[in-house]
Amino acid sequence: MGFVVRRSTRRRTIGAGLAAVALAAGAVSCSKGESGESPKMTPAAAVAKAAKNSDDITSLRYRMTGEIPEQGRIKGEAAMRLKPEVAMSMKMTAPDRADGSMEIRFVDKAMYLGGNAEMAKEMDGKSWMKFDLSVLGDEALGGSPGAGQAEQNPAAESTFLTGADDVKKVGTEEVDGVETTHYRGTLTLDALRDSFKDEDKATREKREKSVERYEAMGIDKLTMDMWIDGDDHTKQFRMKGDADKGPLDMTITFLDLNQPVTVEAPPAKDTVDLAEMMQEPGES
């Protein structure tokens, strides 16, 4: 292979993409309806019902905006398929970074990062970097937390607010033209773990992976907001926490759900395989 990629550049690029993908996994569901609350339903019950409704989601499209520890501000829009197998396509920008424009695709258990001019310069003009999540671990990827989270069902994090014991109604608000009821609560990661201890094994494992990702950031407490529509689905979701290396503050707005999502791998001729690249002599 006729090029050498600096390790620092590679880690910085991968870290930005993985952080976005990992936090994008907060996706739940969206639906259009009238104001989202039953007069007889408590805030905790309303949140639990919306979380339960996320079980039926097979695909979704969403917008994300906010701030990630170390990476700064990010904005993105994505489409994700959850069944029969996970696939995702996201376009993301990080305004605080010189190399902050990127496209991310996840298909056939491989992640592709592209659309970044600085990265292409490091790879002799090839515009995509590939790494196989089943082969490359977090250490090989520069220690970026949550590398495997791209395969996680994004509906898992919709259940987090059900673990809070202080859920309250904030008010009614319109989100993207949809009338919603806004709820808020706080919870520690210990309380979050306790909230899913009685779930089935598969559910516990999925939620435990999410908890571990936040632990890796140095977060031990989350403030969470949910905007629930008249069909008892989450229209918008916000997660905030103080991490070791800066604040986490992400908002996910859901655009549609259960619509066809197709994701294709980039052309092989435009792609560099990270596993092969890491074996090249002269890298430092």
Side-chain angles (χ1 to χ4, degrees):
M1 192 174 294
F3 54 82
V4 174
V5 179
R6 293 194 300 270
R7 183 177 295 274
S8 60
T9 301
R10 188 188 69 233
R11 289 184 175 181
R12 186 170 62 249
T13 301
I14 294 170
L18 289 177
V21 173
L23 289 164
V28 203
S29 89
C30 63
S31 176
K32 294 183 178 180
E34 300 303 321
S35 182
E37 183 184 58
S38 167
K40 297 181 181 179
M41 191 176 296
T42 67
V47 166
K49 188 170 184 179
K52 179 64 176 176
N53 284 341
S54 70
D55 292 343
D56 297 329
I57 297 173
T58 59
S59 64
L60 62 153
R61 299 178 191 274
Y62 58 92
R63 181 173 64 244
M64 59 185 291
T65 182
E67 188 171 2
I68 294 176
E70 292 192 273
Q71 306 302 328
R73 294 175 298 156
I74 67 166
K75 298 193 306 182
E77 190 163 318
M80 178 172 281
R81 183 180 69 237
L82 306 177
K83 299 177 182 178
E85 68 281 328
V86 175
M88 182 183 68
S89 175
M90 173 187 289
K91 292 185 177 180
M92 183 191 75
T93 60
D96 298 330
R97 299 171 58 91
D99 58 350
S101 177
M102 184 177 298
E103 183 175 352
I104 304 165
R105 297 183 193 177
F106 178 74
V107 61
D108 296 331
K109 299 187 182 299
M111 181 78 73
Y112 298 85
L113 306 182
N116 184 294
E118 292 300 316
M119 186 171 70
K121 290 178 183 178
E122 297 287 339
M123 302 190 304
D124 282 358
K126 293 197 174 187
S127 54
W128 290 92
M129 180 184 295
K130 171 187 176 181
F131 57 90
D132 188 335
L133 296 182
S134 66
V135 174
L136 297 169
D138 284 353
E139 183 177 354
L141 296 172
S144 300
Q149 298 307 310
E151 293 183 281
Q152 182 182 333
N153 185 333
E157 292 186 8
S158 71
T159 64
F160 279 15
L161 192 54
T162 63
D165 58 12
D166 63 347
V167 179
K168 64 180 180 181
K169 176 181 173 181
V170 177
T172 56
E173 301 172 19
E174 188 173 287
V175 178
D176 277 2
V178 176
E179 291 297 323
T180 70
T181 303
H182 180 186
Y183 299 94
R184 177 179 297 150
T186 59
L187 72 164
T188 65
L189 296 192
D190 287 341
L192 179 56
R193 275 197 173 94
D194 188 64
S195 71
F196 58 73
K197 65 182 181 181
D198 295 327
E199 299 286 352
D200 61 84
K201 181 179 178 181
T203 299
R204 291 197 311 271
E205 290 177 348
K206 286 188 291 186
R207 297 179 187 175
E208 177 62 27
K209 288 180 181 179
S210 294
V211 175
E212 290 173 353
R213 186 175 69 250
Y214 290 104
E215 285 180 330
M217 294 181 190
I219 293 174
D220 58 16
K221 183 179 181 180
L222 292 167
T223 298
M224 304 186 68
D225 293 77
M226 289 177 70
W227 287 260
I228 300 174
D229 69 16
D231 293 328
D232 299 311
H233 288 112
T234 301
K235 175 62 180 174
Q236 186 166 273
F237 185 82
R238 185 179 186 184
M239 186 178 300
K240 296 187 292 182
D242 293 324
D244 288 342
K245 297 182 179 180
L248 165 69
D249 187 351
M250 288 299 303
T251 298
I252 311 293
T253 305
F254 307 103
L255 308 176
D256 65 41
L257 74 151
N258 295 341
Q259 299 298 314
V261 170
T262 301
V263 181
E264 296 183 354
K269 65 181 180 63
D270 297 329
T271 303
V272 172
D273 191 312
L274 179 61
E276 297 176 0
M277 185 172 61
M278 291 181 69
Q279 303 301 318
E280 287 296 303
E283 183 181 356
S284 59

